[in-house]
Amino acid sequence: MSEHHDEHCCGHQHNHAPHKSKYEEALSKYELNISDDAVREAVKKIIAEKVHENDTPEVKKFMMGSIELTTLKTTDSEESVLAFTERVNKFDEAYPALPHVATICVYPCFANIVSSSLEVDGVEIACVSGSFPSSQALLEVKVAETALAIKDGATEIDIVMPVGKFLSGDYEGVADEISELKQVCGEKKMKVILETGCLKTASNIKKASIIAMYAGADYIKTSTGKLEPAATPEAAYVMCHAIKEYYEETGIQIGFKPAGGINSVMDALIYYTIVKEVLGEKWLTNQWLRFGTSRLANMLLSEIIGEETKFF
């Protein structure tokens, strides 16, 4: 992008500075020079000093209600997705005193099945769209897939930021694509997955978070869960700081979703604590904090009811 600007400047003998894209303009308002070591230390401190106070039945119940129960397998079928949705319907009857999950998350081809069989009010239907998990497809294909998912009943859309474009410095291309897909979503919430494991540095994660939010993300999400490393507490810490600074700058509240690699109740408690410490109480609702996992549902349920159970 900068080369293009340089040619533009050299080709015309104007004296004004090169034109900055609105995303470069946006990035210039934020502190992007972040030390990975400093982030690691800050996270270590939060884990050592704060997590234990959140290890309570109330927090576990809250987290149960923030789970995005997810099935994104190559082997998914109409039958398996129907059975998956039925478990959410039955949970409501079996545990009326507990919050139901926040969302069922599936591939777009199953939006219709979930939409026609889900009986529980207040459970969102999320579809991963835009050529998940690689995001490597023509924009027209991503637009069509997203529109079809919504037509079939998706109430939320999870897309993957075009990571290759980001890493090659084409921030405007990244933002244009996110913003075009947000237009397709309209009022429906759109989550942008940064695939933080591919971004490597705290500085890149912060940059990607800011670009995604300015381009129209309603949530930013750590990972697809299809690549290693998936979510990490360090990535979550950087993303939550970006959300906080964006909120202070624009007054717009953006949600956060860690996903991939949440393998224990303790993992989830660490993410909950980071959100609480960095963003505060205002984000501790199942509207603003979601956990992308299925494994966690049975683990939380087992701890809440005090016996090993495999309900989901």
Side-chain angles (χ1 to χ4, degrees):
M1 201 155 65
S2 55
E3 284 169 16
H4 168 75
H5 287 148
D6 292 342
E7 284 164 19
H8 176 81
C9 297
C10 308
H12 306 276
Q13 296 308 308
H14 294 312
N15 295 326
H16 58 66
H19 164 70
K20 259 187 177 175
S21 82
K22 65 177 175 177
Y23 298 103
E24 290 170 310
E25 199 72 63
L27 287 171
S28 68
K29 297 176 183 169
Y30 296 86
E31 178 50 65
L32 299 171
N33 191 12
I34 320 166
S35 139
D36 293 300
D37 289 339
V39 168
R40 264 192 295 275
E41 286 312 309
V43 167
K44 224 184 267 175
K45 188 168 166 16
I46 288 175
I47 292 172
E49 294 173 10
K50 300 289 184 182
V51 171
H52 61 93
E53 70 194 39
N54 297 317
D55 191 355
T56 66
E58 292 69 43
V59 170
K60 286 171 191 169
K61 281 180 192 168
F62 163 79
M63 293 197 301
M64 189 84 209
S66 284
I67 286 179
E68 300 212 345
L69 204 63
T70 303
T71 184
L72 297 170
K73 300 204 245 340
T74 303
T75 51
D76 287 343
S77 64
E78 296 207 342
E79 293 73 20
S80 71
V81 171
L82 179 60
F84 190 72
T85 309
E86 284 302 336
R87 288 199 283 278
V88 174
N89 292 338
K90 292 199 176 85
F91 180 84
D92 217 36
E93 295 159 26
Y95 299 98
L98 293 181
H100 54 64
V101 296
T103 318
I104 292 178
C105 182
V106 293
Y107 279 111
C109 50
F110 300 115
N112 198 11
I113 284 277
V114 179
S115 165
S116 55
S117 55
L118 180 63
E119 293 158 11
V120 186
D121 286 343
V123 175
E124 302 288 349
I125 301 166
C127 283
V128 294
S129 179
S131 200
F132 175 95
S134 69
S135 193
Q136 299 289 19
L138 295 166
L139 183 55
E140 292 82 350
V141 173
K142 296 181 182 187
V143 164
E145 188 180 27
T146 304
L148 289 167
I150 290 169
K151 179 181 81 64
D152 279 351
T155 60
E156 297 184 347
I157 293 289
D158 291 27
I159 64 162
V160 183
M161 172 185 86
V163 177
K165 275 188 178 151
F166 176 86
L167 292 173
S168 59
D170 180 9
Y171 301 150
E172 202 149 2
V174 170
D176 287 349
E177 205 165 289
I178 293 170
S179 136
E180 179 124 6
L181 290 170
K182 178 54 190 166
Q183 280 178 328
V184 179
C185 293
E187 291 303 296
K188 307 269 190 281
K189 296 275 192 283
M190 184 178 80
K191 305 183 202 98
V192 177
I193 304 166
L194 306 183
E195 201 65 286
T196 51
C198 295
L199 301 182
K200 306 284 194 254
T201 66
S203 179
N204 271 348
I205 294 169
K206 178 92 172 266
K207 225 179 264 186
S209 300
I210 290 159
I211 290 168
M213 291 186 288
Y214 272 95
D218 297 293
Y219 290 77
I220 50 176
K221 172 176 166 182
T222 55
S223 340
T224 58
K226 301 292 185 189
L227 296 178
E228 293 296 329
T232 64
E234 290 75 18
Y237 179 84
V238 174
M239 288 167 72
C240 287
H241 269 284
I243 290 171
K244 182 184 184 179
E245 288 170 37
Y246 180 78
Y247 181 65
E248 286 163 358
E249 179 71 38
T250 64
I252 299 168
Q253 189 171 1
I254 301 290
F256 173 62
K257 178 179 171 182
I262 303 175
N263 295 324
S264 66
V265 171
M266 184 46 72
D267 287 345
L269 281 170
I270 288 169
Y271 291 115
Y272 173 91
T273 305
I274 288 168
V275 171
K276 184 179 174 184
E277 293 304 312
V278 176
L279 289 167
E281 298 289 333
K282 193 170 181 177
W283 268 263
L284 297 180
T285 76
N286 77 350
Q287 187 187 347
W288 299 109
L289 171 59
R290 300 279 182 74
F291 295 93
T293 174
S294 284
R295 217 171 282 140
L296 185 61
N298 285 327
M299 293 175 183
L300 276 172
L301 186 57
S302 301
E303 291 208 7
I304 292 165
I305 65 174
E307 57 175 294
E308 179 74 15
T309 178
K310 288 268 189 284
F311 187 90
F312 289 105

